[in-house]
Amino acid sequence: VTIYPNPSKDIFTIEHDNIESITLYNMMGAKVLEEEANDDKYVIRDLESGVYFVNIKTNIGSVVKKIVKY
């Protein structure tokens, strides 16, 4: 699973064929975004700058990646 651009300002892309959903958490562990899979592009324009963790659920399991919003 690849996330780019990272850091990102407005939109990031997740490269993976079988994404079912994503959930973003802030550094405090609070859920700030939850979306079903779309065109692999996710809008974070309205989030505050900082570090977030992306839980990416696929048809074969889940993976957590870090993304920086500037």
Side-chain angles (χ1 to χ4, degrees), residues 1-69:
V1 176
T2 303
I3 296 178
Y4 64 89
N6 193 7
S8 179
K9 183 177 180 181
D10 295 325
I11 297 172
F12 67 90
T13 300
I14 299 176
E15 216 172 77
H16 193 280
D17 292 335
N18 301 307
I19 297 173
E20 294 178 356
S21 65
I22 69 152
T23 308
L24 248 66
Y25 297 92
N26 65 17
M27 291 295 292
M28 302 300 288
K31 186 188 308 182
V32 295
L33 176 71
E34 186 170 27
E35 289 193 21
E36 296 298 316
N38 55 29
D39 294 331
D40 300 334
K41 295 187 186 312
Y42 300 91
V43 178
I44 56 173
R45 181 176 299 121
D46 295 334
L47 298 179
E48 293 183 22
S49 296
V51 176
Y52 294 89
F53 295 98
V54 187
N55 184 348
I56 304 160
K57 183 178 176 188
T58 70
N59 63 345
I60 56 173
S62 296
V63 65
V64 176
K65 297 282 191 168
K66 181 171 71 171
I67 187 164
V68 177
K69 160 75 162 87

